[in-house]
């Protein structure tokens, strides 16, 4: 059956301006880090993308090495673009990244001009696209001059292979320097993609101020802390979870009794707010509008539907914020 997008898809989603740019992003974006690779079920991924778009999620985030195997998430997404989303390309924000290991030899990772441009060319081919909307330097390279990495991003925009560029996981100091270089080149950085959640608040120690002062947006990845901030770990580590199998970034030894205790207390506050823990965690990341978008992952359609409902209540009372702070700081 030919996919036709829901006519009401833009009526409830919240769209935020990315820094001082003209780019609007949905408050909830969908990442294809997991569950969209060659080892995953194609029809499940297709159902999630369709439902996400019907709910007003216009931003889909990929990287060259997403899978597994590496590159297969972009290939799967490219197939879905061709079969389902071709009429809607101009309604979508598609991003990709390069920085981590992708192919053997000295040119297959990090931040050289050679690697970044070659990697994006490969990504475009896998997805069947002429350009991506956002292209990121996925991580800082300690051995390549920042001027070279940023110069490659500038070239990519001038070649028409990306409309906007950003960085991911750069420190506050590295970000400030990158912004200065890109402003000098005439291709400003538009967005930073950091790991940010209730359990990982490093960006509050300087990075958020750098972004705000320079009019750069942010999109938080892992806002649910790899599933810790959901109902999955309320009673410890379930057997079927990635933590139990040690197949993801979250390891079983990270789900300590102390962490579970915090999760249970946070879940009680969420229930008082009429939200699930995941919904409250997403609302917390988006509080105060310092973060442009929260980048979720999903393994089934119902998770996307649940997460989007976080937007129904983004307000926190001072008392709620104080209670959350007390739990997180113990």
């Amino acid at each position: 059956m030919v996919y036709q997008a829901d006519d009401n898809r833009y009526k409830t989603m919240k769209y935020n301006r990315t820094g001082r740019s003209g780019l609007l992003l949905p408050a909830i974006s969908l990442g294809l880090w997991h569950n969209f690779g060659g080892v995953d079920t194609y029809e499940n991924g297709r159902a999630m993308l369709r439902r996400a778009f019907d709910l007003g999620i216009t931003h889909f985030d990929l990287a060259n090495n997403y899978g597994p195997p590496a590159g297969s998430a972009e290939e799967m997404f490219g197939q879905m673009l061709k079969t389902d989303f071709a009429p809607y390309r101009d309604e979508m924000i598609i991003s990709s990244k390069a920085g981590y290991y992708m192919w053997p030899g000295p040119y297959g990772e990090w931040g050289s001009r050679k690697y970044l441009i070659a990697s994006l060319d490969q990504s475009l081919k896998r997805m069947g696209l002429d350009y991506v909307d956002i292209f990121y330097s996925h991580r800082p390279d300690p051995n390549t001059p920042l001027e070279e990495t940023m110069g490659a991003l500038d070239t990519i925009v001038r070649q028409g292979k990306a409309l906007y560029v950003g960085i991911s996981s750069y420190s506050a100091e590295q970000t400030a320097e990158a912004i200065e270089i890109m402003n000098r080149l005439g291709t400003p950085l538009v967005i930073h993609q950091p790991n940010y959640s209730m359990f990982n608040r490093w960006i509050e120690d300087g990075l958020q101020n750098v972004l705000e002062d320079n009019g750069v947006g942010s999109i938080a990845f892992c806002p649910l802390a790899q599933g810790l901030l959901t109902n999955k770990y309320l009673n410890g580590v379930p057997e079927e979870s990635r933590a139990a199998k040690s197949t993801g970034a979250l390891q079983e030894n990270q789900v300590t009794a102390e962490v579970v205790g915090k999760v249970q207390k946070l879940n009680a506050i969420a229930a008082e707010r009429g939200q699930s823990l995941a919904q409250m965690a997403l609302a917390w990341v988006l509080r105060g509008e310092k973060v442009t978008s929260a980048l979720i992952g999903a393994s089934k359609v119902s998770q996307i539907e649940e997460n989007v409902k976080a937007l129904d209540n983004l307000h926190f009372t001072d008392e709620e914020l104080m209670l959350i702070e007390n739990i997180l700081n113990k």
Side-chain angles (χ1 to χ4, degrees):
M1 185 176 179
V2 176
Y3 169 67
Q4 185 172 346
D6 191 319
D7 289 338
N8 297 313
R9 61 190 177 278
Y10 296 121
K11 290 188 176 178
T12 56
M13 176 56 67
K14 184 176 187 291
Y15 297 92
N16 297 322
R17 187 163 301 279
T18 309
R20 290 196 289 265
S21 76
L23 180 63
L24 294 173
L25 291 181
I28 302 293
S29 298
L30 181 62
L32 280 68
W33 183 12
H34 299 295
N35 304 309
F36 292 89
V39 301
D40 300 299
T41 305
Y42 182 88
E43 287 304 322
N44 184 53
R46 189 180 199 181
M48 288 193 287
L49 285 175
R50 286 179 168 190
R51 185 60 178 144
F53 193 64
D54 283 343
L55 290 170
I57 294 177
T58 53
H59 178 31
F60 301 94
D61 181 77
L62 298 105
N64 58 355
N65 61 346
Y66 286 177
S72 61
E74 289 183 330
E75 289 171 351
M76 179 183 282
F77 186 69
Q79 279 295 110
M80 295 175 192
L81 280 172
K82 185 177 180 180
T83 58
D84 292 354
F85 297 104
Y88 307 105
R89 171 63 183 99
D90 291 336
E91 298 181 41
M92 303 173 80
I93 299 297
I94 300 168
S95 62
S96 192
K97 318 176 202 70
Y100 287 91
Y101 178 85
M102 188 60 190
W103 65 84
Y107 320 117
E109 63 179 323
W110 293 109
S112 71
R113 180 180 185 86
K114 166 70 174 176
Y115 169 64
L116 292 178
I117 294 177
S119 181
L120 177 54
D121 286 343
Q122 293 178 17
S123 292
L124 293 174
K125 185 176 181 180
R126 282 190 289 267
M127 291 187 283
L129 292 173
D130 296 323
Y131 69 94
V132 292
D133 297 278
I134 306 171
F135 184 70
Y136 293 90
S137 167
H138 206 166
R139 60 172 173 171
D141 183 346
N143 298 311
T144 296
L146 191 56
E147 288 81 2
E148 178 177 339
T149 301
M150 294 302 105
L153 295 183
D154 173 66
T155 296
I156 282 165
V157 171
R158 295 183 187 278
Q159 289 177 338
K161 296 175 182 177
L163 303 184
Y164 302 94
V165 286
I167 55 178
S168 179
S169 301
Y170 281 55
S171 70
E173 294 76 14
Q174 291 165 330
T175 298
E177 186 179 356
I179 289 170
E180 182 182 355
I181 293 169
M182 293 302 283
N183 285 344
R184 196 162 63 238
L185 291 171
T187 302
L189 283 177
V190 167
I191 193 165
H192 189 298
Q193 186 175 132
N195 190 326
Y196 182 51
S197 71
M198 285 181 171
F199 287 162
N200 188 354
R201 302 176 63 175
W202 71 277
I203 72 171
E204 296 174 11
D205 188 21
L207 178 59
Q208 279 191 326
N209 290 336
V210 170
L211 298 177
E212 187 173 5
D213 291 346
N214 289 277
V216 177
S218 63
I219 177 168
F221 75 88
C222 293
L224 301 181
Q226 288 287 315
L228 267 180
L229 292 166
T230 70
N231 63 4
K232 183 180 293 185
Y233 298 100
L234 285 174
N235 299 304
V237 182
E239 290 183 6
E240 74 280 4
S241 66
R242 284 205 302 266
K245 298 175 183 178
S246 295
T247 57
L250 182 65
Q251 301 296 303
E252 185 171 6
N253 61 9
Q254 294 174 264
V255 190
T256 64
E258 180 184 359
V259 168
V260 171
K262 289 184 178 183
V263 167
Q264 291 171 342
K265 291 175 182 177
L266 291 169
N267 186 60
I269 296 175
E272 288 290 323
R273 288 170 50 83
Q275 291 182 313
S276 69
L277 175 56
Q279 289 166 346
M280 185 181 77
L282 290 169
W284 184 90
V285 163
L286 293 166
R287 75 197 188 287
E289 299 187 345
K290 288 189 175 183
V291 172
T292 311
S293 183
L295 183 59
I296 65 167
S299 60
K300 52 189 176 181
V301 167
S302 60
Q303 291 174 339
I304 297 172
E305 294 171 337
E306 176 191 353
N307 289 344
V308 168
K309 287 180 181 177
L311 304 181
D312 293 344
N313 184 10
L314 295 176
H315 174 72
F316 287 86
T317 67
D318 291 340
E319 182 181 4
E320 287 172 332
L321 290 174
M322 182 181 67
L323 288 171
I324 290 170
E325 284 294 318
N326 288 340
I327 293 168
L328 295 177
N329 291 327
K330 281 186 177 178

